Structures are given as C-alpha cells and as structure tokens.
Amino acid sequence: MGSMKVHQFARGFWEHEPSLTLGCKRLRPLAPKLANSETSVTASFDLKSFIRPESGPRKLGSSDDKRDSAQVETHPGGTRWNPTQEQIGILEMLYRGGMRTPNAQQIEQITAQLGKYGKIEGKNVFYWFQNHKARERQKQKRNSLGLSPCSRTPAPITTINLDSMGEVEREEDSPYKRKCRSWGFECLDDNNRLCREEGDRTLELFPLHPEGR
Amino acid sequence: MGSMKVHQFARGFWEHEPSLTLGCKRLRPLAPKLANSETSVTASFDLKSFIRPESGPRKLGSSDDKRDSAQVETHPGGTRWNPTQEQIGILEMLYRGGMRTPNAQQIEQITAQLGKYGKIEGKNVFYWFQNHKARERQKQKRNSLGLSPCSRTPAPITTINLDSMGEVEREEDSPYKRKCRSWGFECLDDNNRLCREEGDRTLELFPLHPEGR
DNA sequence: GCAAATTAATGATTTATTCAAG
DNA sequence: CTTGAATAAATCATTAATTTGC
C-alpha cells in the first residue's frame, strides 16, 4: 500500500488556478470575501512557519523501507490495546475519582503510569474514558428505569492523584465543556495508518487565546 | 453553561424523537443562501478589506513572544481557521472528486498545499471534510423533501489527484468504513491547551490490522 | 456612509452509534 | 458479550455578511 511516491506537491501546481471553475456554488456565506488577493501567499510566513519544528520530510515510506529498528512498539498481536488488570484498575480509580475527559497532559501522565503495566498509548486512555463514560451512562439510564429514579450517584469523591499528577478536577457529567480537545501530530505507519507519538514534545504552537472570552 | 447540562439530560429522555429536535431545537432559520453565485473578486472595499492580511506567522518562538505588536488581525491568539477562497476551492474540488475522509497522509499533503494560501493545520482539513460531508448530507435530506425524491445526484466524477497524490478513491457516502482515523501526537501549550505539532515525527506505533475487514 | 445589532455560515468539540476483535 | 476503535450526529462558539439606526 505504501506505493505513494509522494513527493510533496509540486509547489505551484494550482497556484495559478485558485478559484478555478468551482467558484459558483457554495461560495462564502454571503458576500465576497476577497481580502486575500495576493498578499497572503507572498507574505513571507511561508517558510517561517515551516522551519519551526524540525522540518525534515521524514521517511514517508518511500518504498517499503523496513528501518523499524527496535520498533517493537507495535504489540505483537498488532491489534487493539489489551488492558491489563492494573491498568483497568487505575483507570477506574481515576474515573471514580471524577475524571471524565482528561486533557492532554493528564493523558500523557496516565499513559506513562499505565505504561509500566503494559503497552499502552494515549489514545487508548482517551478512548477508554470516552467509552467508559458513555457506557456507564447507558447502564445508568437502563437502571434508572428499574430502580429508584433519583439515585443518580454522581460519583464518589476521592481526589486521587496519580503520583505526580495534580488532582483530578472533577468534571461531573458536564456535557459540553468546550475543553479544546485536540489534535496531535499525526503520522502514519507502514500500513498507511495513522498513529500517534506519545513522548514529550516541544509542545507549542497554537498561540491560543488568553482564555478570557 | 450550566443550562446545557439540563439540555443534555433531557436528551436522554426524549431520545426516541430524533426528528423533534430538528424541528424545534436549534433550528436555524437560515436559508440556503447561495444567491450570490459568483461575484467575482472585485476590489470594492479597497482599504477596509485590506486590514486583514494576516496569515499569521505562527512561529511562537517560545521566547517571550509577547511582542504582539501588529496585533491587528493576525490571529495570534489562535482564533479559528479562516479559510481563503483558494483553500475552499481546492477543498471543494477534492470533495467533488469524491474525497470524504482523507487519511493522515492525504491530510498532510492537502494541508501542505493549502498552506500556500494561508495558515492552516491538518485538523482544519479534517474538520472541513467532516463538516462539509455532514452538511451536504443535511442539505440533501432537506431538499429531498421538497424536490423530486430521486434526484440524488450522487456526485460528479472527477478523479482529481492532488498532484502526486494517487487518486481520490471515491468514497461515496459510505457510512462507516472503518478507516482508522487516528490520533496524532498531542501536546499542550502554556494554557494547558492541546496543540498540534506539525513537523515530522517518528511515526510508528499502531500495528494495525491488515485492512482486510 | 459608518458602527452597533442581527443573522447566516461554518469551524471546532462533544456525545451518540456503530463496527468488529477477542 | 464485552469493549476498543472509529464515524456520524448534535451542538457549541466564533466569525463574516447583512441590517438597521443615526
């Protein structure tokens, strides 16, 4: 599958045909927007913003290329994460402690911790919370029909702190919290699948608003 | 904020009335504008429109970088992506070509291309496709009620290929395709916000299944 | 002719569903 | 059947465009 002789784009391929012939149906909301006639492209940000990281067209699998070295990362079975008892235990503990949607930092730490008990990636942690939350909710809903309608049992209070992890920051069920989940850098493996780099990064980017909204 | 919680709660109870939400909840009075089919870019606002050249140099030197200076419009604060005509044009072209859920590699390439016309990140591309697909679907559904019930107009066939990009691999509307979206590396900034590292990474992880599903 | 107020469009998140491995 | 993984639907939030009042 890795056939893509990807070679980045030929720089100015469409450069001269920005709007092409498709500028007729779903254009901007109401009126023309223009604003960015030429300036944006020549504006200099071009390189600047790119040299930031370590700019280096990584492998990108030109041909097969098996330089996987100690790439034992991939679990032997190569399928999905198979949590160990310890991992589940910790996760549930955190869940019971009130954690519902850990942020990046938390995920990072949790993953690091759980990593001691078996292979695991950040996304596994993320998904686990997502699924667990959802399923607990279903279960609860289901029970609410056969049990007292008011035993919500919000969640015990515990305030666990995963080692160096600060505190759990209860989150009740608060639907919609606009927490800015996010996207990390994405890469893909030999099978053209996306994967995730867990280590610590140079975090940055995303200037982000002062939060004061 | 708190009110939303109720909202969510209620949802659980009335879950059996999907259409209802459509009729009274957040129904947008919007009308499929599209009246302005073309309105070529006629420099009408001369200066006014010029005050938003932007294309923020998202460097983030990590140093003090407090030198907002030309704080004008360069969403240094990380506002949301504001696509340019060219970007939208290309995206729509790809969409019309059949692309619906680009994989990591595709997103990477598309982003690189679109980056020439303005700041953009991979997640923007991803989201764009998600939203566009969903909204096209809504629109279509809405129209199906007021128009001939069989004019599906599946979508033009084009087979565009983003330069070196193989082909688009039509994907019709196929709901659920188990394509393995993914997770990228995530990091967070000083405000504890998640952000994205764009550079190249040591891609790996994710053993993954042989695709044969 | 502008600028605040309104409104339509749409970017970004979160929750609900669905699929399938074990 | 349980549950990790992924996608679709719902919905929040922000911005551009349009109105409206002066």
Side-chain angles (χ1 to χ4, degrees):
Chain A
M1 242 319 69
S3 55
M4 293 280 186
K5 61 294 192 164
V6 187
H7 158 234
Q8 273 308 57
F9 296 94
R11 234 301 188 163
F13 189 52
W14 293 324
E15 202 145 297
H16 302 302
E17 312 173 273
S19 52
L20 289 167
T21 54
L22 42 74
C24 51
K25 235 33 177 190
R26 304 188 75 284
L27 283 185
R28 308 292 302 152
L30 298 327
K33 190 257 209 76
L34 60 141
N36 62 346
S37 40
E38 295 299 313
T39 57
S40 60
V41 182
T42 56
S44 81
F45 83 102
D46 196 53
L47 285 178
K48 252 178 299 191
S49 60
F50 272 80
I51 51 180
R52 199 196 18 37
E54 43 239 301
S55 67
R58 242 285 184 274
K59 45 185 303 180
L60 249 192
S62 52
S63 22
D64 40 315
D65 163 15
K66 280 74 159 202
R67 57 147 92 295
D68 51 298
S69 54
Q71 170 60 358
V72 194
E73 284 298 67
T74 62
H75 349 165
T79 336
R80 65 187 198 181
W81 169 53
N82 196 11
T84 65
Q85 278 298 326
E86 295 92 339
Q87 295 177 322
I88 290 296
I90 295 175
L91 288 171
E92 291 190 331
M93 179 165 63
L94 290 171
Y95 185 86
R96 286 215 299 282
M99 184 176 282
R100 294 304 156 81
T101 306
N103 62 32
Q105 183 167 47
Q106 294 173 307
I107 287 180
E108 200 181 317
Q109 295 187 49
I110 296 170
T111 304
Q113 275 295 315
L114 301 186
K116 297 177 182 173
Y117 307 102
K119 185 175 191 306
I120 185 173
E121 293 177 68
K123 73 169 198 174
N124 302 133
V125 174
F126 172 73
Y127 281 139
W128 188 88
F129 275 98
Q130 286 281 299
N131 286 317
H132 199 67
K133 175 168 56 175
R135 281 157 184 156
E136 279 298 306
R137 205 170 275 168
Q138 298 184 321
K139 195 174 300 179
Q140 199 167 64
K141 184 187 296 179
R142 206 149 40 206
N143 289 344
S144 69
L145 299 177
L147 295 173
S148 59
C150 287
S151 60
R152 281 277 292 160
T153 346
I157 305 153
T158 313
T159 324
I160 346 171
N161 52 349
L162 192 52
D163 191 358
S164 61
M165 175 127 61
E167 51 198 294
V168 182
E169 187 185 316
R170 308 279 269 76
E171 187 184 319
E172 285 308 327
D173 279 50
S174 65
Y176 279 82
K177 189 69 153 305
R178 200 80 351 189
K179 202 86 122 324
C180 191
R181 193 197 355 143
S182 103
W183 258 66
F185 167 81
E186 64 214 336
C187 51
L188 35 108
D189 57 25
D190 299 334
N191 285 317
N192 191 42
R193 293 253 164 185
L194 288 159
C195 53
R196 199 282 221 64
E197 170 73 16
E198 195 41 279
D200 54 301
R201 209 75 243 116
T202 344
L203 37 140
E204 39 85 40
L205 293 253
F206 233 38
L208 58 101
H209 22 252
E211 188 69 77
R213 285 298 174 79
Chain B
M1 279 299 198
S3 59
M4 290 184 275
K5 179 175 289 189
V6 179
H7 197 297
Q8 184 60 43
F9 189 58
R11 188 213 194 92
F13 282 119
W14 301 325
E15 195 151 42
H16 303 301
E17 309 176 278
S19 56
L20 187 150
T21 56
L22 220 169
C24 58
K25 222 111 193 179
R26 300 187 93 277
L27 211 190
R28 258 72 177 308
L30 344 153
K33 207 44 170 283
L34 73 81
N36 60 354
S37 55
E38 234 265 336
T39 57
S40 55
V41 187
T42 49
S44 50
F45 297 72
D46 50 284
L47 289 177
K48 195 106 72 96
S49 60
F50 200 64
I51 57 175
R52 53 175 11 304
E54 73 60 58
S55 68
R58 39 107 92 150
K59 39 136 21 295
L60 275 270
S62 77
S63 328
D64 70 272
D65 91 65
K66 225 55 191 173
R67 51 38 149 269
D68 47 308
S69 53
Q71 206 281 131
V72 192
E73 53 335 80
T74 69
H75 8 130
T79 335
R80 68 183 197 183
W81 169 53
N82 195 6
T84 65
Q85 279 294 331
E86 293 91 340
Q87 296 178 323
I88 291 295
I90 294 175
L91 287 170
E92 291 191 331
M93 181 164 60
L94 290 171
Y95 185 86
R96 287 218 298 283
M99 184 177 280
R100 295 301 155 83
T101 305
N103 61 33
Q105 183 169 44
Q106 294 174 308
I107 287 180
E108 200 183 314
Q109 294 187 50
I110 295 170
T111 303
Q113 269 296 310
L114 301 186
K116 296 178 184 174
Y117 307 102
K119 185 178 187 307
I120 185 173
E121 292 177 70
K123 72 170 195 174
N124 304 130
V125 173
F126 172 73
Y127 284 140
W128 189 89
F129 275 98
Q130 287 280 298
N131 284 317
H132 198 68
K133 177 167 54 176
R135 282 160 180 153
E136 279 297 307
R137 206 171 275 167
Q138 298 182 321
K139 193 176 301 179
Q140 198 167 63
K141 185 182 295 179
R142 206 149 45 206
N143 289 345
S144 68
L145 298 176
L147 294 173
S148 59
C150 287
S151 61
R152 282 274 294 159
T153 342
I157 304 154
T158 314
T159 324
I160 347 171
N161 51 350
L162 194 51
D163 189 358
S164 62
M165 175 127 61
E167 50 197 292
V168 181
E169 186 185 318
R170 308 281 268 78
E171 188 184 318
E172 283 310 326
D173 280 49
S174 65
Y176 279 80
K177 189 70 154 305
R178 199 76 357 184
K179 198 86 121 323
C180 190
R181 181 176 31 118
S182 129
W183 259 65
F185 168 82
E186 67 213 335
C187 51
L188 37 107
D189 58 25
D190 300 333
N191 285 319
N192 191 39
R193 293 248 165 189
L194 288 160
C195 53
R196 201 280 221 64
E197 169 72 20
E198 194 41 277
D200 53 302
R201 207 79 241 110
T202 344
L203 37 140
E204 39 83 41
L205 298 253
F206 236 38
L208 68 95
H209 23 252
E211 185 71 76
R213 287 304 181 82

